[in-house]
Amino acid sequence: MPPTRDSRRAVYRRVAQRPHIDWPAYDSTPLYDRTSLAGLESDIRTVSEMWFDHESHDSVEEFVCALPLAYFRFSAHDWYEGSTRYQMATLFRVFVLKELYGWEHETALVGYLGNRPDLCEQLGFETVPDQSTLWRSWHERFTTDLRETVETAARTILIKAQNAGVGVPREPTRKLRYHGNESGESGLDDQTTLEQAEKVTDHVSRIVFPAFSLDRGDGCEIHENAYWDLQTYLGLRERLAANEGARSFTYESTRERTPLGHAHREQIRDFSIEQVRAMYQQAITRLLNEVSETEQFFRAGIVAIDITEDDPFTGDRTGREDEIIGTKEKSDEYAYQWATVQLVGNAVPVVLDARPVRKGESRLEIAKDLLDSAEEMVHVDNVLMDREFDSQHVLEMLSQRGLSYVVPKRMQTSEKAQAKRLLQRDQDRYETDRKLHLGKNEWHETTLIYRRKEDSEHDDHRQYSVFMTNRGSGHLTEYGYRWEIESGYRSIKRFMAATTSKNFGLRFFYFAFACLLYSIWRAVDLLVQVELTGEYEHSPIVTADNTLTLLKKETGIG
């Protein structure tokens, strides 16, 4: 069915309502302008995903005719200086069509258009161009970068259409291409890996970092990118504070002007928690858009929600008791706490969202908030959580969303008694159904699974762990994926800048930016592995230090 005015409006309304999508990208961020091909690629990626989700949109050709190009300035990518018969936007659409079908020569394209006068009219052709005109336009009028954008756009459209179940003219390749990587043969030696990582990091940083903005206005002497460059630099060295880092950065940076430590902190402190989260979500959405075009990303579906603590706080917390709260282990120490939702399992371990934990917030409130963000970004099937989310109301919320879950249960009197009986019988595993009271005569039905730990140090009921799940014991093996959360937190904290400030917004920004650096590292590693081997193994081949070094180099470009 051809797109209608209402179906188009529905798509663009969805685009406008996405909380972490700025559209059009080339007119909404400081690193993009109306001639930016990266911005154009981002817009095509955003719109095509939602376009094919609409039940009335089942044709890639119709989308090509509807490509949002009205505000893009092609003149910067047009090698012709004289008068021309065909507009660049029209030629861009027709070459995207050619690439969608994978035709090597213009002859096939001309023949196809000749038999479809309605399509020609939609594309903007009064008459079908001849083969020589199209050949000259492609080889002599389009710049090299614009030709690459045509190929990228076609590949994106094929992938988004195929993901939505729309028929496509050919199978899209789910392998990314970068400048300077014309040869498909590469060995996995350290030098090759590092060279490829540099290309990918450059590509990724140009996409991700524009999501962050200081909103300082024009005319500032120190470029905004210098602040993100410095923040990345602080993550490059463990426990490096802003003042000391700013002094070192002055000598190591190639920039003429760099921010002082106190100026950097003042800019960051101006952010609200909501602003930090919005920028983070937009950056991660951009990152996911890149990795989602690889076949390996479609292993996603399992997320883990967890809470981590900052270093113990030893100062005076007067007036900040709601922010500097107790530890998860209920010790006599205090600490800032942060909650995250992260992809786990076979997927690349990207931190989808992060938020602070304040005193008095329920685990239900935290879980709902993070899942709302996660489900905006990826398709979620299964949720893994720690035992602090052992709440019947949390479990009911997950079931109402149609999600499966695995959550360890805190052992109360009845669970301890059952574990003792299992120990007497020397039984390693046991399942039983349980109804959990929700209040007002409402119940949540779940399954309790008792499992004996291997090589337990205990000789009593503590040999057993109890898990709750709504999908049977088969999902219990997935709980082992949660170990990635703890190892991920160790890396994230390694990327955090040091500070003694009590400012809640500053503290959270440092944590969120460290989550971003970690996620970029893991995404870069996936893309490098796919590019060099065609496969993705969970053990990284690109080190975190390499990625941070490359990011420090690339952040200020744009």
Side-chain angles (χ1 to χ4, degrees), residues 307-313 317 320-338 357-360 363 388:
I307 293 175
T308 189
E309 299 163 358
D310 216 321
D311 291 338
F313 187 83
R317 69 184 189 114
R320 299 181 181 273
E321 291 87 351
D322 291 345
E323 300 170 352
I324 310 172
I325 58 181
T327 62
K328 294 196 296 180
E329 299 301 325
K330 306 301 181 185
S331 68
D332 57 358
E333 294 182 323
Y334 298 98
Y336 293 89
Q337 291 188 14
W338 321 114
V357 178
R358 295 179 174 88
K359 184 178 180 181
R363 293 301 186 253
E388 62 193 299

PDB file of all heavy atoms in Angstrom, residues 307-313 317 320-338 357-360 363 388:
ATOM      1  N   ILE A 307      22.340  -2.343  40.794  1.00  0.00           N
ATOM      2  CA  ILE A 307      22.729  -1.117  41.488  1.00  0.00           C
ATOM      3  C   ILE A 307      24.171  -1.273  41.946  1.00  0.00           C
ATOM      4  O   ILE A 307      24.559  -2.323  42.464  1.00  0.00           O
ATOM      5  CB  ILE A 307      21.806  -0.849  42.693  1.00  0.00           C
ATOM      6  CG1 ILE A 307      20.384  -0.534  42.213  1.00  0.00           C
ATOM      7  CG2 ILE A 307      22.335   0.310  43.546  1.00  0.00           C
ATOM      8  CD1 ILE A 307      19.380  -0.382  43.323  1.00  0.00           C
ATOM      9  N   THR A 308      24.958  -0.237  41.718  1.00  0.00           N
ATOM     10  CA  THR A 308      26.343  -0.243  42.182  1.00  0.00           C
ATOM     11  C   THR A 308      26.580   0.969  43.068  1.00  0.00           C
ATOM     12  O   THR A 308      25.817   1.935  43.046  1.00  0.00           O
ATOM     13  CB  THR A 308      27.323  -0.238  40.997  1.00  0.00           C
ATOM     14  OG1 THR A 308      28.650  -0.462  41.455  1.00  0.00           O
ATOM     15  CG2 THR A 308      27.273   1.084  40.236  1.00  0.00           C
ATOM     16  N   GLU A 309      27.647   0.904  43.826  1.00  0.00           N
ATOM     17  CA  GLU A 309      27.980   1.984  44.751  1.00  0.00           C
ATOM     18  C   GLU A 309      29.233   2.701  44.300  1.00  0.00           C
ATOM     19  O   GLU A 309      30.153   2.099  43.751  1.00  0.00           O
ATOM     20  CB  GLU A 309      28.204   1.416  46.160  1.00  0.00           C
ATOM     21  CG  GLU A 309      26.997   0.719  46.743  1.00  0.00           C
ATOM     22  CD  GLU A 309      27.367  -0.176  47.915  1.00  0.00           C
ATOM     23  OE1 GLU A 309      28.578  -0.263  48.237  1.00  0.00           O
ATOM     24  OE2 GLU A 309      26.472  -0.786  48.507  1.00  0.00           O
ATOM     25  N   ASP A 310      29.271   3.992  44.565  1.00  0.00           N
ATOM     26  CA  ASP A 310      30.495   4.754  44.411  1.00  0.00           C
ATOM     27  C   ASP A 310      31.417   4.371  45.570  1.00  0.00           C
ATOM     28  O   ASP A 310      31.056   3.580  46.439  1.00  0.00           O
ATOM     29  CB  ASP A 310      30.175   6.253  44.446  1.00  0.00           C
ATOM     30  CG  ASP A 310      31.066   7.039  43.495  1.00  0.00           C
ATOM     31  OD1 ASP A 310      32.256   6.689  43.409  1.00  0.00           O
ATOM     32  OD2 ASP A 310      30.583   7.984  42.859  1.00  0.00           O
ATOM     33  N   ASP A 311      32.601   4.930  45.594  1.00  0.00           N
ATOM     34  CA  ASP A 311      33.489   4.679  46.732  1.00  0.00           C
ATOM     35  C   ASP A 311      32.831   5.145  48.018  1.00  0.00           C
ATOM     36  O   ASP A 311      32.062   6.121  48.019  1.00  0.00           O
ATOM     37  CB  ASP A 311      34.813   5.421  46.529  1.00  0.00           C
ATOM     38  CG  ASP A 311      35.636   4.844  45.401  1.00  0.00           C
ATOM     39  OD1 ASP A 311      35.416   3.667  45.063  1.00  0.00           O
ATOM     40  OD2 ASP A 311      36.485   5.563  44.842  1.00  0.00           O
ATOM     41  N   PRO A 312      33.092   4.486  49.154  1.00  0.00           N
ATOM     42  CA  PRO A 312      32.499   4.917  50.433  1.00  0.00           C
ATOM     43  C   PRO A 312      32.781   6.389  50.703  1.00  0.00           C
ATOM     44  O   PRO A 312      33.888   6.883  50.448  1.00  0.00           O
ATOM     45  CB  PRO A 312      33.185   4.015  51.451  1.00  0.00           C
ATOM     46  CG  PRO A 312      33.578   2.795  50.691  1.00  0.00           C
ATOM     47  CD  PRO A 312      33.929   3.278  49.315  1.00  0.00           C
ATOM     48  N   PHE A 313      31.768   7.097  51.184  1.00  0.00           N
ATOM     49  CA  PHE A 313      31.883   8.524  51.460  1.00  0.00           C
ATOM     50  C   PHE A 313      32.280   8.712  52.911  1.00  0.00           C
ATOM     51  O   PHE A 313      31.630   8.182  53.822  1.00  0.00           O
ATOM     52  CB  PHE A 313      30.547   9.212  51.180  1.00  0.00           C
ATOM     53  CG  PHE A 313      30.618  10.714  51.276  1.00  0.00           C
ATOM     54  CD1 PHE A 313      31.073  11.468  50.206  1.00  0.00           C
ATOM     55  CD2 PHE A 313      30.260  11.368  52.442  1.00  0.00           C
ATOM     56  CE1 PHE A 313      31.138  12.846  50.281  1.00  0.00           C
ATOM     57  CE2 PHE A 313      30.323  12.745  52.533  1.00  0.00           C
ATOM     58  CZ  PHE A 313      30.770  13.489  51.449  1.00  0.00           C
ATOM     59  N   ARG A 317      27.991  14.462  55.445  1.00  0.00           N
ATOM     60  CA  ARG A 317      26.890  14.386  54.491  1.00  0.00           C
ATOM     61  C   ARG A 317      25.659  15.165  54.945  1.00  0.00           C
ATOM     62  O   ARG A 317      24.567  14.954  54.429  1.00  0.00           O
ATOM     63  CB  ARG A 317      26.532  12.927  54.206  1.00  0.00           C
ATOM     64  CG  ARG A 317      25.900  12.187  55.351  1.00  0.00           C
ATOM     65  CD  ARG A 317      25.671  10.722  55.015  1.00  0.00           C
ATOM     66  NE  ARG A 317      24.882  10.067  56.048  1.00  0.00           N
ATOM     67  CZ  ARG A 317      23.657   9.583  55.868  1.00  0.00           C
ATOM     68  NH1 ARG A 317      23.089   9.665  54.690  1.00  0.00           N
ATOM     69  NH2 ARG A 317      23.007   9.011  56.868  1.00  0.00           N
ATOM     70  N   ARG A 320      22.633  16.143  52.778  1.00  0.00           N
ATOM     71  CA  ARG A 320      22.656  15.313  51.561  1.00  0.00           C
ATOM     72  C   ARG A 320      22.352  13.857  51.893  1.00  0.00           C
ATOM     73  O   ARG A 320      22.771  12.946  51.180  1.00  0.00           O
ATOM     74  CB  ARG A 320      24.018  15.426  50.864  1.00  0.00           C
ATOM     75  CG  ARG A 320      24.343  16.856  50.420  1.00  0.00           C
ATOM     76  CD  ARG A 320      25.681  16.937  49.726  1.00  0.00           C
ATOM     77  NE  ARG A 320      25.995  18.292  49.315  1.00  0.00           N
ATOM     78  CZ  ARG A 320      25.635  18.849  48.167  1.00  0.00           C
ATOM     79  NH1 ARG A 320      24.951  18.150  47.296  1.00  0.00           N
ATOM     80  NH2 ARG A 320      25.960  20.103  47.887  1.00  0.00           N
ATOM     81  N   GLU A 321      21.615  13.647  52.963  1.00  0.00           N
ATOM     82  CA  GLU A 321      21.316  12.273  53.388  1.00  0.00           C
ATOM     83  C   GLU A 321      20.468  11.522  52.361  1.00  0.00           C
ATOM     84  O   GLU A 321      20.519  10.286  52.305  1.00  0.00           O
ATOM     85  CB  GLU A 321      20.589  12.285  54.744  1.00  0.00           C
ATOM     86  CG  GLU A 321      21.448  12.720  55.918  1.00  0.00           C
ATOM     87  CD  GLU A 321      21.464  14.233  56.113  1.00  0.00           C
ATOM     88  OE1 GLU A 321      20.937  14.959  55.206  1.00  0.00           O
ATOM     89  OE2 GLU A 321      21.973  14.689  57.147  1.00  0.00           O
ATOM     90  N   ASP A 322      19.698  12.249  51.543  1.00  0.00           N
ATOM     91  CA  ASP A 322      18.875  11.580  50.529  1.00  0.00           C
ATOM     92  C   ASP A 322      19.676  11.152  49.305  1.00  0.00           C
ATOM     93  O   ASP A 322      19.205  10.353  48.496  1.00  0.00           O
ATOM     94  CB  ASP A 322      17.739  12.501  50.070  1.00  0.00           C
ATOM     95  CG  ASP A 322      16.698  12.725  51.162  1.00  0.00           C
ATOM     96  OD1 ASP A 322      16.711  11.954  52.140  1.00  0.00           O
ATOM     97  OD2 ASP A 322      15.909  13.669  51.031  1.00  0.00           O
ATOM     98  N   GLU A 323      20.891  11.698  49.169  1.00  0.00           N
ATOM     99  CA  GLU A 323      21.727  11.393  48.008  1.00  0.00           C
ATOM    100  C   GLU A 323      22.886  10.475  48.370  1.00  0.00           C
ATOM    101  O   GLU A 323      23.235   9.578  47.603  1.00  0.00           O
ATOM    102  CB  GLU A 323      22.267  12.699  47.404  1.00  0.00           C
ATOM    103  CG  GLU A 323      21.157  13.642  46.934  1.00  0.00           C
ATOM    104  CD  GLU A 323      21.685  15.012  46.556  1.00  0.00           C
ATOM    105  OE1 GLU A 323      22.885  15.269  46.812  1.00  0.00           O
ATOM    106  OE2 GLU A 323      20.924  15.824  46.015  1.00  0.00           O
ATOM    107  N   ILE A 324      23.506  10.731  49.502  1.00  0.00           N
ATOM    108  CA  ILE A 324      24.612   9.874  49.965  1.00  0.00           C
ATOM    109  C   ILE A 324      24.003   8.896  50.958  1.00  0.00           C
ATOM    110  O   ILE A 324      23.902   9.150  52.157  1.00  0.00           O
ATOM    111  CB  ILE A 324      25.726  10.708  50.618  1.00  0.00           C
ATOM    112  CG1 ILE A 324      26.122  11.883  49.716  1.00  0.00           C
ATOM    113  CG2 ILE A 324      26.947   9.844  50.903  1.00  0.00           C
ATOM    114  CD1 ILE A 324      27.077  12.865  50.364  1.00  0.00           C
ATOM    115  N   ILE A 325      23.556   7.763  50.454  1.00  0.00           N
ATOM    116  CA  ILE A 325      22.760   6.835  51.254  1.00  0.00           C
ATOM    117  C   ILE A 325      23.616   5.658  51.711  1.00  0.00           C
ATOM    118  O   ILE A 325      24.798   5.567  51.402  1.00  0.00           O
ATOM    119  CB  ILE A 325      21.532   6.359  50.462  1.00  0.00           C
ATOM    120  CG1 ILE A 325      21.959   5.677  49.154  1.00  0.00           C
ATOM    121  CG2 ILE A 325      20.624   7.534  50.145  1.00  0.00           C
ATOM    122  CD1 ILE A 325      20.781   5.210  48.299  1.00  0.00           C
ATOM    123  N   GLY A 326      23.004   4.732  52.440  1.00  0.00           N
ATOM    124  CA  GLY A 326      23.750   3.585  52.939  1.00  0.00           C
ATOM    125  C   GLY A 326      24.163   2.631  51.844  1.00  0.00           C
ATOM    126  O   GLY A 326      23.763   2.763  50.683  1.00  0.00           O
ATOM    127  N   THR A 327      24.981   1.677  52.185  1.00  0.00           N
ATOM    128  CA  THR A 327      25.455   0.695  51.211  1.00  0.00           C
ATOM    129  C   THR A 327      24.453  -0.434  51.058  1.00  0.00           C
ATOM    130  O   THR A 327      23.574  -0.630  51.902  1.00  0.00           O
ATOM    131  CB  THR A 327      26.820   0.118  51.638  1.00  0.00           C
ATOM    132  OG1 THR A 327      26.658  -0.561  52.883  1.00  0.00           O
ATOM    133  CG2 THR A 327      27.838   1.242  51.801  1.00  0.00           C
ATOM    134  N   LYS A 328      24.596  -1.199  49.979  1.00  0.00           N
ATOM    135  CA  LYS A 328      23.684  -2.317  49.746  1.00  0.00           C
ATOM    136  C   LYS A 328      23.834  -3.403  50.798  1.00  0.00           C
ATOM    137  O   LYS A 328      22.897  -4.138  51.079  1.00  0.00           O
ATOM    138  CB  LYS A 328      23.933  -2.906  48.355  1.00  0.00           C
ATOM    139  CG  LYS A 328      23.585  -1.959  47.228  1.00  0.00           C
ATOM    140  CD  LYS A 328      23.469  -2.698  45.910  1.00  0.00           C
ATOM    141  CE  LYS A 328      24.790  -3.306  45.483  1.00  0.00           C
ATOM    142  NZ  LYS A 328      24.678  -4.038  44.203  1.00  0.00           N
ATOM    143  N   GLU A 329      25.018  -3.507  51.372  1.00  0.00           N
ATOM    144  CA  GLU A 329      25.277  -4.546  52.368  1.00  0.00           C
ATOM    145  C   GLU A 329      24.853  -4.128  53.774  1.00  0.00           C
ATOM    146  O   GLU A 329      25.126  -4.821  54.744  1.00  0.00           O
ATOM    147  CB  GLU A 329      26.770  -4.907  52.368  1.00  0.00           C
ATOM    148  CG  GLU A 329      27.271  -5.450  51.041  1.00  0.00           C
ATOM    149  CD  GLU A 329      26.523  -6.702  50.622  1.00  0.00           C
ATOM    150  OE1 GLU A 329      26.156  -7.499  51.519  1.00  0.00           O
ATOM    151  OE2 GLU A 329      26.298  -6.882  49.411  1.00  0.00           O
ATOM    152  N   LYS A 330      24.216  -2.958  53.885  1.00  0.00           N
ATOM    153  CA  LYS A 330      23.714  -2.469  55.167  1.00  0.00           C
ATOM    154  C   LYS A 330      24.814  -2.328  56.207  1.00  0.00           C
ATOM    155  O   LYS A 330      24.627  -2.631  57.386  1.00  0.00           O
ATOM    156  CB  LYS A 330      22.615  -3.400  55.711  1.00  0.00           C
ATOM    157  CG  LYS A 330      21.468  -3.650  54.743  1.00  0.00           C
ATOM    158  CD  LYS A 330      20.775  -2.362  54.326  1.00  0.00           C
ATOM    159  CE  LYS A 330      19.617  -2.650  53.382  1.00  0.00           C
ATOM    160  NZ  LYS A 330      18.992  -1.411  52.854  1.00  0.00           N
ATOM    161  N   SER A 331      25.970  -1.848  55.764  1.00  0.00           N
ATOM    162  CA  SER A 331      27.069  -1.600  56.701  1.00  0.00           C
ATOM    163  C   SER A 331      26.886  -0.206  57.299  1.00  0.00           C
ATOM    164  O   SER A 331      25.888   0.474  57.058  1.00  0.00           O
ATOM    165  CB  SER A 331      28.407  -1.697  55.969  1.00  0.00           C
ATOM    166  OG  SER A 331      28.544  -0.627  55.056  1.00  0.00           O
ATOM    167  N   ASP A 332      27.869   0.226  58.087  1.00  0.00           N
ATOM    168  CA  ASP A 332      27.780   1.561  58.684  1.00  0.00           C
ATOM    169  C   ASP A 332      28.407   2.619  57.778  1.00  0.00           C
ATOM    170  O   ASP A 332      28.606   3.759  58.189  1.00  0.00           O
ATOM    171  CB  ASP A 332      28.452   1.577  60.061  1.00  0.00           C
ATOM    172  CG  ASP A 332      29.913   1.126  60.003  1.00  0.00           C
ATOM    173  OD1 ASP A 332      30.369   0.761  58.891  1.00  0.00           O
ATOM    174  OD2 ASP A 332      30.580   1.135  61.047  1.00  0.00           O
ATOM    175  N   GLU A 333      28.720   2.242  56.514  1.00  0.00           N
ATOM    176  CA  GLU A 333      29.291   3.187  55.565  1.00  0.00           C
ATOM    177  C   GLU A 333      28.188   3.838  54.722  1.00  0.00           C
ATOM    178  O   GLU A 333      27.057   3.338  54.656  1.00  0.00           O
ATOM    179  CB  GLU A 333      30.294   2.489  54.636  1.00  0.00           C
ATOM    180  CG  GLU A 333      31.534   1.970  55.354  1.00  0.00           C
ATOM    181  CD  GLU A 333      32.513   1.329  54.383  1.00  0.00           C
ATOM    182  OE1 GLU A 333      32.037   0.664  53.429  1.00  0.00           O
ATOM    183  OE2 GLU A 333      33.738   1.490  54.569  1.00  0.00           O
ATOM    184  N   TYR A 334      28.556   4.961  54.075  1.00  0.00           N
ATOM    185  CA  TYR A 334      27.626   5.657  53.191  1.00  0.00           C
ATOM    186  C   TYR A 334      28.269   5.779  51.813  1.00  0.00           C
ATOM    187  O   TYR A 334      29.490   5.831  51.693  1.00  0.00           O
ATOM    188  CB  TYR A 334      27.290   7.041  53.739  1.00  0.00           C
ATOM    189  CG  TYR A 334      26.605   7.011  55.081  1.00  0.00           C
ATOM    190  CD1 TYR A 334      27.327   7.215  56.261  1.00  0.00           C
ATOM    191  CD2 TYR A 334      25.240   6.762  55.175  1.00  0.00           C
ATOM    192  CE1 TYR A 334      26.696   7.177  57.492  1.00  0.00           C
ATOM    193  CE2 TYR A 334      24.599   6.720  56.399  1.00  0.00           C
ATOM    194  CZ  TYR A 334      25.336   6.934  57.559  1.00  0.00           C
ATOM    195  OH  TYR A 334      24.708   6.889  58.780  1.00  0.00           O
ATOM    196  N   ALA A 335      27.413   5.860  50.796  1.00  0.00           N
ATOM    197  CA  ALA A 335      27.946   5.974  49.438  1.00  0.00           C
ATOM    198  C   ALA A 335      26.849   6.467  48.504  1.00  0.00           C
ATOM    199  O   ALA A 335      25.657   6.291  48.758  1.00  0.00           O
ATOM    200  CB  ALA A 335      28.466   4.622  48.949  1.00  0.00           C
ATOM    201  N   TYR A 336      27.274   7.119  47.408  1.00  0.00           N
ATOM    202  CA  TYR A 336      26.356   7.386  46.309  1.00  0.00           C
ATOM    203  C   TYR A 336      26.053   6.049  45.635  1.00  0.00           C
ATOM    204  O   TYR A 336      26.926   5.183  45.522  1.00  0.00           O
ATOM    205  CB  TYR A 336      26.993   8.323  45.288  1.00  0.00           C
ATOM    206  CG  TYR A 336      27.237   9.723  45.779  1.00  0.00           C
ATOM    207  CD1 TYR A 336      28.433  10.069  46.410  1.00  0.00           C
ATOM    208  CD2 TYR A 336      26.278  10.717  45.605  1.00  0.00           C
ATOM    209  CE1 TYR A 336      28.672  11.362  46.845  1.00  0.00           C
ATOM    210  CE2 TYR A 336      26.506  12.023  46.042  1.00  0.00           C
ATOM    211  CZ  TYR A 336      27.700  12.336  46.664  1.00  0.00           C
ATOM    212  OH  TYR A 336      27.927  13.612  47.102  1.00  0.00           O
ATOM    213  N   GLN A 337      24.822   5.876  45.178  1.00  0.00           N
ATOM    214  CA  GLN A 337      24.444   4.652  44.482  1.00  0.00           C
ATOM    215  C   GLN A 337      23.870   4.998  43.109  1.00  0.00           C
ATOM    216  O   GLN A 337      23.143   5.978  42.953  1.00  0.00           O
ATOM    217  CB  GLN A 337      23.402   3.863  45.293  1.00  0.00           C
ATOM    218  CG  GLN A 337      23.942   3.263  46.581  1.00  0.00           C
ATOM    219  CD  GLN A 337      22.947   2.338  47.250  1.00  0.00           C
ATOM    220  OE1 GLN A 337      21.949   1.925  46.652  1.00  0.00           O
ATOM    221  NE2 GLN A 337      23.209   2.000  48.501  1.00  0.00           N
ATOM    222  N   TRP A 338      24.225   4.146  42.128  1.00  0.00           N
ATOM    223  CA  TRP A 338      23.759   4.333  40.753  1.00  0.00           C
ATOM    224  C   TRP A 338      23.140   3.041  40.258  1.00  0.00           C
ATOM    225  O   TRP A 338      23.654   1.945  40.520  1.00  0.00           O
ATOM    226  CB  TRP A 338      24.917   4.732  39.836  1.00  0.00           C
ATOM    227  CG  TRP A 338      25.905   5.684  40.428  1.00  0.00           C
ATOM    228  CD1 TRP A 338      27.212   5.445  40.721  1.00  0.00           C
ATOM    229  CD2 TRP A 338      25.666   7.053  40.818  1.00  0.00           C
ATOM    230  NE1 TRP A 338      27.804   6.561  41.254  1.00  0.00           N
ATOM    231  CE2 TRP A 338      26.885   7.562  41.335  1.00  0.00           C
ATOM    232  CE3 TRP A 338      24.552   7.884  40.789  1.00  0.00           C
ATOM    233  CZ2 TRP A 338      27.006   8.864  41.805  1.00  0.00           C
ATOM    234  CZ3 TRP A 338      24.663   9.177  41.253  1.00  0.00           C
ATOM    235  CH2 TRP A 338      25.881   9.666  41.752  1.00  0.00           C
ATOM    236  N   VAL A 357      20.275   6.626  42.523  1.00  0.00           N
ATOM    237  CA  VAL A 357      19.358   6.030  43.486  1.00  0.00           C
ATOM    238  C   VAL A 357      19.289   6.957  44.695  1.00  0.00           C
ATOM    239  O   VAL A 357      20.310   7.237  45.323  1.00  0.00           O
ATOM    240  CB  VAL A 357      19.827   4.631  43.932  1.00  0.00           C
ATOM    241  CG1 VAL A 357      18.871   4.049  44.969  1.00  0.00           C
ATOM    242  CG2 VAL A 357      19.938   3.700  42.725  1.00  0.00           C
ATOM    243  N   ARG A 358      18.103   7.426  44.986  1.00  0.00           N
ATOM    244  CA  ARG A 358      17.910   8.328  46.122  1.00  0.00           C
ATOM    245  C   ARG A 358      17.214   7.588  47.261  1.00  0.00           C
ATOM    246  O   ARG A 358      16.517   6.596  47.047  1.00  0.00           O
ATOM    247  CB  ARG A 358      17.078   9.538  45.714  1.00  0.00           C
ATOM    248  CG  ARG A 358      17.748  10.460  44.692  1.00  0.00           C
ATOM    249  CD  ARG A 358      16.809  11.617  44.357  1.00  0.00           C
ATOM    250  NE  ARG A 358      17.435  12.612  43.501  1.00  0.00           N
ATOM    251  CZ  ARG A 358      17.431  12.564  42.182  1.00  0.00           C
ATOM    252  NH1 ARG A 358      16.871  11.538  41.564  1.00  0.00           N
ATOM    253  NH2 ARG A 358      18.006  13.516  41.464  1.00  0.00           N
ATOM    254  N   LYS A 359      17.389   8.113  48.453  1.00  0.00           N
ATOM    255  CA  LYS A 359      16.740   7.539  49.624  1.00  0.00           C
ATOM    256  C   LYS A 359      15.230   7.590  49.451  1.00  0.00           C
ATOM    257  O   LYS A 359      14.666   8.587  49.014  1.00  0.00           O
ATOM    258  CB  LYS A 359      17.144   8.316  50.876  1.00  0.00           C
ATOM    259  CG  LYS A 359      16.596   7.739  52.177  1.00  0.00           C
ATOM    260  CD  LYS A 359      17.085   8.540  53.372  1.00  0.00           C
ATOM    261  CE  LYS A 359      16.541   7.974  54.679  1.00  0.00           C
ATOM    262  NZ  LYS A 359      17.014   8.770  55.847  1.00  0.00           N
ATOM    263  N   GLY A 360      14.572   6.492  49.763  1.00  0.00           N
ATOM    264  CA  GLY A 360      13.116   6.446  49.715  1.00  0.00           C
ATOM    265  C   GLY A 360      12.555   5.937  48.406  1.00  0.00           C
ATOM    266  O   GLY A 360      11.353   5.655  48.316  1.00  0.00           O
ATOM    267  N   ARG A 363      12.296  -0.080  44.728  1.00  0.00           N
ATOM    268  CA  ARG A 363      12.918  -0.856  43.656  1.00  0.00           C
ATOM    269  C   ARG A 363      11.977  -0.968  42.459  1.00  0.00           C
ATOM    270  O   ARG A 363      12.423  -1.064  41.317  1.00  0.00           O
ATOM    271  CB  ARG A 363      13.320  -2.247  44.172  1.00  0.00           C
ATOM    272  CG  ARG A 363      14.436  -2.226  45.223  1.00  0.00           C
ATOM    273  CD  ARG A 363      15.667  -1.575  44.650  1.00  0.00           C
ATOM    274  NE  ARG A 363      16.823  -1.636  45.519  1.00  0.00           N
ATOM    275  CZ  ARG A 363      17.316  -0.604  46.184  1.00  0.00           C
ATOM    276  NH1 ARG A 363      16.729   0.580  46.085  1.00  0.00           N
ATOM    277  NH2 ARG A 363      18.390  -0.730  46.941  1.00  0.00           N
ATOM    278  N   GLU A 388      18.113  -7.788  45.592  1.00  0.00           N
ATOM    279  CA  GLU A 388      17.510  -6.592  46.178  1.00  0.00           C
ATOM    280  C   GLU A 388      16.238  -6.191  45.433  1.00  0.00           C
ATOM    281  O   GLU A 388      15.459  -5.373  45.920  1.00  0.00           O
ATOM    282  CB  GLU A 388      18.501  -5.441  46.178  1.00  0.00           C
ATOM    283  CG  GLU A 388      18.953  -5.007  44.800  1.00  0.00           C
ATOM    284  CD  GLU A 388      20.161  -4.091  44.879  1.00  0.00           C
ATOM    285  OE1 GLU A 388      20.030  -3.017  45.482  1.00  0.00           O
ATOM    286  OE2 GLU A 388      21.220  -4.470  44.359  1.00  0.00           O
TER     287      GLU A 388
END
